[in-house]
């Protein structure tokens, strides 16, 4: 199995590595490319085998463009399987999350716009109600997807999306995994205050979608 061709960018290597290590809290320099993470990554075939060890090497080599825009950053499902297998306790899920935020700050269009829309809708719903209300969350998420496809005049994709989501929604209703009502929590104000506080921290950008 061959991976992507990696490039060494000496001028970017140190600052990129330092920023990713500080923000993710992960010691990327401890990686010795044993590939135990690669063997267990849940989405390896979905990413064309752009595995956690390759992502880490990309950052170490200073290839900022590839590090901020690659399939693993957008398809990692934060299952933490790689981290539990890593002999050096490197949690790649934290790295992919950090790189997503950095991509957003750099105004790089997300490779998976639906994932970005999902993140934003989830966060917005949580902030509005103090918890996620499934119906509202799914509605806002779908609207974001429809608006994006409409701007690209991709009307076929809109119809497909609506059909797929209607089918999924019905199935979830039947299984009682989706609820129509609105619920709030007592600590809504506190949650909003915490959110505002984190946004004031340098380098923090909770919304993913540009
Ligand atoms: S398992 Fe850990 S040390 Fe081994 S390649 Fe993956 S990240 Fe690096
Ligand atoms: S946390 Fe992400 S990178 Fe790690 S195994 Fe799961 S999907 Fe792969």
């Amino acid at each position: 199995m061959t991976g992507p061709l990696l490039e060494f960018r000496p001028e970017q290597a140190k600052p990129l590595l330092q920023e990713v290590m500080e923000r993710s809290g992960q010691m990327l320099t401890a990686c010795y490319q044993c590939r135990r993470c690669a063997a267990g990554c849940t989405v390896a075939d979905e990413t064309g085998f752009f595995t956690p060890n390759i992502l880490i090497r990309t950052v170490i080599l200073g290839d900022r463009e590839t590090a901020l825009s690659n399939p693993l950053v957008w398809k990692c499902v934060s299952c933490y399987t790689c981290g539990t297998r890593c002999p050096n306790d490197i949690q790649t899920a934290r790295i992919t999350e950090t790189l997503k935020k950095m991509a957003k700050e750099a105004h790089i269009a997300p490779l998976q716009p639906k994932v970005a829309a999902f993140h934003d809708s989830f966060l917005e719903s949580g902030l509005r109600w103090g918890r996620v209300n499934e119906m509202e969350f799914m509605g806002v998420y779908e609207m974001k997807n429809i608006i994006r496809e409409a701007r690209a005049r991709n009307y076929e994709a809109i119809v497909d999306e609506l059909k797929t989501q209607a089918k999924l929604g019905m199935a979830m209703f039947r299984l009682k995994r989706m609820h129509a009502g609105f619920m709030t929590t007592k600590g809504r104000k506190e949650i909003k205050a915490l959110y505002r506080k984190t946004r004031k921290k340098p380098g923090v950008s909770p919304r993913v979608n540009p």
Side-chain angles (χ1 to χ4, degrees), residues 30-37 53 56 85-88 90:
C31 173
Y32 46 51
Q33 294 291 314
C34 66
R35 301 191 76 250
R36 287 189 66 172
C37 52
N53 62 303
I56 289 167
R85 287 172 158 241
C86 177
N88 294 311
I90 300 170

Side-chain angles (χ1 to χ4, degrees), residues 108-120:
I108 294 170
L111 271 189
Q112 299 284 319
K114 280 188 178 181
V115 175
F118 189 92
H119 276 259
D120 283 350

Side-chain angles (χ1 to χ4, degrees), residues 40-43 52 72 75-82 92-93:
C41 179
T42 324
V43 296
L72 184 60
K75 291 192 172 177
C76 169
V77 291
S78 297
C79 65
Y80 285 80
T81 306
C82 53
T92 303

Side-chain angles (χ1 to χ4, degrees), residues 16-145:
L16 178 65
L17 178 62
Q18 206 165 349
E19 182 175 357
V20 175
M21 288 212 297
E22 274 173 17
R23 292 180 65 170
S24 67
Q26 302 305 302
M27 185 66 79
L28 279 73
T29 45
C31 173
Y32 46 51
Q33 294 291 314
C34 66
R35 301 191 76 250
R36 287 189 66 172
C37 52
C41 179
T42 324
V43 296
D45 51 352
E46 295 282 327
T47 61
F49 294 92
F50 196 99
T51 47
N53 62 303
I54 294 178
L55 180 66
I56 289 167
R57 184 60 94 195
T58 304
V59 174
I60 290 173
L61 290 175
D63 186 348
R64 190 179 178 87
E65 291 73 22
T66 308
L68 295 189
S69 188
N70 63 73
L72 184 60
V73 160
W74 288 100
K75 291 192 172 177
C76 169
V77 291
S78 297
C79 65
Y80 285 80
T81 306
C82 53
T84 58
R85 287 172 158 241
C86 177
N88 294 311
D89 196 26
I90 300 170
Q91 303 295 339
T92 303
R94 301 261 169 87
I95 300 170
T96 54
E97 203 51 49
T98 299
L99 292 169
K100 263 204 284 284
K101 288 177 187 166
M102 287 169 64
K104 143 80 177 160
E105 288 157 15
H107 302 288
I108 294 170
L111 271 189
Q112 299 284 319
K114 280 188 178 181
V115 175
F118 189 92
H119 276 259
D120 283 350
S121 310
F122 191 91
L123 188 60
E124 286 162 11
S125 180
L127 279 174
R128 249 191 304 278
W129 306 104
R131 52 154 291 156
V132 169
N133 281 294
E134 293 103 349
M135 279 293 279
E136 186 228 18
F137 158 59
M138 287 306 290
V140 172
Y141 167 66
E142 278 315 315
M143 279 312 294
K144 285 182 195 289
N145 288 329

Side-chain angles (χ1 to χ4, degrees), residues 12 16 27 58 61 67 101 154 173 184 189-191 201:
Q12 294 186 31
L16 178 65
M27 185 66 79
T58 304
L61 290 175
K101 288 177 187 166
N154 201 352
F173 260 123
T184 60
K189 281 188 185 158
E190 286 83 353
I191 292 169
K201 277 190 169 183

